[in-house]
Amino acid sequence: MDGNATTTHKNVALLSVASTIASRITTSESIDQRLQGALKRLHLPKGLLQRVAGVYERRNWEEGQQFDDAAIAAGKRALAQAGVRPDQVGLLINTSVTRKNLEPSVAVSIHHGLGLPSSALNFDIANACLGFVNGMSLASSLIDSGQIDYAVIVAGEDADEIQNNTVDRLEANSLNRKDFMSEFASLTLGSGAAAAVIGRADAHPEGHRILGGVTRAATQFNDLCVGSVDGMFTDAKALLKGGMELVVSAWNEAKSDWSWGKMDRYILHQVSSVHTNAIVKAAGLDEAKVPRTYPLLGNIGPASIPITLAYEAEDLKKGDRVLLMGVGSGLNTAMLEIAW
């Protein structure tokens, strides 16, 4: 593979992964109720979110809860599980799509909330739903280089504002069916947070080795999924087609460096049943090895991969091979192998 499309890590381990699940359940049925005027006007059936996307519920924060506080809570649990003190951390990477302001970074409040030392580098990485995997890869490279001993990667998402704005707009009389479907993906979004701690493998033989992976870009599709707090607007068919072509291209070219045909788990970015089924078919994955959290949690952006991994962690055993896989708006794809 050309350039930096493939990466191998020599002495890095995942020490822990933890999640904070939002407590308020928002059912797809309740969203249908809010959209009943639009559905009737556009002659659309109820239950599209369940039948088309496979999303039955998603989580939202209770009043007063903040996504960055949830990320801090996940980070504290991850540090405790890893047995790493805050003063040992050399790097914090926040990968949230959600942010309260353009500046400062979200990372600064999480750095403060975790009680990290002044010497700990901290910043945001924004790459749509791939941010967490990209953050793990970057932090792993810094550990391999000897610049840091430990890193914390976090993501916290809040889908409330985009959901409410989307529902309000879809209920407006001026929108047609095409407009409705272009915003359909916004209704699948959920809220949650996750954190991971990584460190040197030689200092933590109990850790899970991060072996490396591949990335590929198809940025000619940069306008197929564009989001803000006002809404997420997608060309769903073109997005799926472009995304699958990108995944298959990366998967096939990775075969010269990696053997991923028989992994024990494939932790995919959680979008919908259509997206998951398409990746399973395109890459020839064993469907039994592909856990799904989107039916009850929805799409939690970059937090969805670590949240799904945290759910699976209890059932993984030493020696299991795990592949993190995702496609992010833009389009970009990343795959990262972990030896459990």
Side-chain angles (χ1 to χ4, degrees), residues 50-67:
Q50 299 93 315
R51 291 197 302 273
V52 175
V55 176
Y56 293 83
E57 298 176 358
R58 76 281 296 134
R59 298 297 186 97
N60 295 98
W61 303 114
E62 298 286 357
E63 186 174 352
Q65 290 182 309
Q66 300 292 329
F67 74 95

Side-chain angles (χ1 to χ4, degrees), residues 30-99:
S30 70
I31 291 179
D32 273 351
Q33 290 297 319
R34 295 175 64 188
L35 288 171
Q36 58 183 336
L39 295 174
K40 182 177 181 179
R41 185 178 70 255
L42 298 173
H43 304 289
L44 290 170
K46 293 182 179 179
L48 284 175
L49 285 163
Q50 299 93 315
R51 291 197 302 273
V52 175
V55 176
Y56 293 83
E57 298 176 358
R58 76 281 296 134
R59 298 297 186 97
N60 295 98
W61 303 114
E62 298 286 357
E63 186 174 352
Q65 290 182 309
Q66 300 292 329
F67 74 95
D68 48 352
D69 290 336
I72 291 168
K76 287 181 176 179
R77 285 196 302 277
L79 285 168
Q81 290 172 18
V84 175
R85 303 187 312 273
D87 65 278
Q88 294 177 287
V89 175
L91 172 67
L92 168 74
I93 302 177
N94 168 66
T95 65
S96 308
V97 171
T98 302
R99 58 191 313 113

Side-chain angles (χ1 to χ4, degrees), residues 137-192:
S137 296
L138 176 59
S140 295
S141 295
L142 290 173
I143 290 173
D144 266 338
S145 73
Q147 294 187 54
I148 59 172
D149 290 328
Y150 297 102
V152 180
I153 300 93
V154 300
E157 302 301 334
D158 187 345
D160 263 13
E161 187 173 6
I162 189 172
Q163 279 179 4
N164 290 331
N165 289 340
T166 299
V167 169
D168 289 345
R169 188 165 46 253
L170 292 178
E171 274 291 282
N173 291 326
S174 58
L175 297 186
N176 56 33
R177 274 194 177 205
K178 183 179 179 181
D179 296 328
F180 186 99
M181 296 312 298
S182 74
E183 299 198 50
F184 184 74
S186 299
L187 304 175
T188 69
L189 300 177
S191 303

Side-chain angles (χ1 to χ4, degrees), residues 63-337:
E63 186 174 352
Q65 290 182 309
Q66 300 292 329
F67 74 95
D68 48 352
D69 290 336
I72 291 168
K76 287 181 176 179
R77 285 196 302 277
L79 285 168
Q81 290 172 18
V84 175
R85 303 187 312 273
D87 65 278
Q88 294 177 287
V89 175
L91 172 67
L92 168 74
I93 302 177
N94 168 66
T95 65
S96 308
V97 171
T98 302
R99 58 191 313 113
K100 297 175 183 176
N101 350 270
L102 290 176
E103 59 177 72
S105 69
V106 177
V108 295
S109 65
I110 298 174
H111 180 283
H112 176 68
L114 291 176
L116 301 185
S118 176
S119 57
L121 183 64
N122 62 95
F123 52 81
D124 294 349
I125 282 182
N127 196 18
C129 297
L130 282 185
F132 203 96
V133 177
N134 295 151
M136 290 180 67
S137 296
L138 176 59
S140 295
S141 295
L142 290 173
I143 290 173
D144 266 338
S145 73
Q147 294 187 54
I148 59 172
D149 290 328
Y150 297 102
V152 180
I153 300 93
V154 300
E157 302 301 334
D158 187 345
D160 263 13
E161 187 173 6
I162 189 172
Q163 279 179 4
N164 290 331
N165 289 340
T166 299
V167 169
D168 289 345
R169 188 165 46 253
L170 292 178
E171 274 291 282
N173 291 326
S174 58
L175 297 186
N176 56 33
R177 274 194 177 205
K178 183 179 179 181
D179 296 328
F180 186 99
M181 296 312 298
S182 74
E183 299 198 50
F184 184 74
S186 299
L187 304 175
T188 69
L189 300 177
S191 303
V197 175
I198 64 176
R200 294 199 338 264
D202 58 7
H204 292 273
E206 79 285 358
H208 316 296
R209 290 290 297 271
I210 299 175
L211 301 180
V214 301
T215 62
R216 279 190 75 82
T219 52
Q220 66 270 31
F221 300 123
N222 65 81
D223 59 350
L224 295 184
C225 180
V226 179
S228 70
V229 293
D230 291 327
M232 187 164 68
F233 304 88
T234 64
D235 181 338
K237 289 184 179 180
L239 188 66
L240 184 64
K241 182 176 183 294
M244 290 310 101
E245 290 175 355
L246 180 61
V247 168
V248 170
S249 174
W251 180 266
N252 288 335
E253 291 195 31
K255 290 178 181 178
S256 62
D257 298 291
W258 304 95
S259 177
W260 290 333
K262 296 183 178 180
M263 306 297 286
D264 295 289
R265 291 293 192 287
Y266 297 95
I267 306 296
L268 306 186
H269 170 45
Q270 303 288 306
V271 180
S272 68
S273 56
V274 172
H275 177 272
T276 299
N277 293 340
I279 289 184
V280 167
K281 181 179 180 180
L285 307 183
D286 181 350
E287 193 168 359
K289 305 292 179 64
V290 182
R292 291 164 167 79
T293 56
Y294 63 80
L296 299 182
L297 297 180
N299 176 357
I300 318 179
S304 71
I305 285 179
I307 285 175
T308 305
L309 180 60
Y311 269 101
E312 289 296 302
E314 290 184 3
D315 295 326
L316 292 170
K317 60 184 183 298
K318 186 175 179 60
D320 280 348
R321 298 177 64 202
V322 179
L323 186 65
L324 311 184
M325 300 177 65
V327 180
S329 301
L331 290 167
N332 287 287
T333 188
M335 303 173 192
L336 184 68
E337 182 177 352

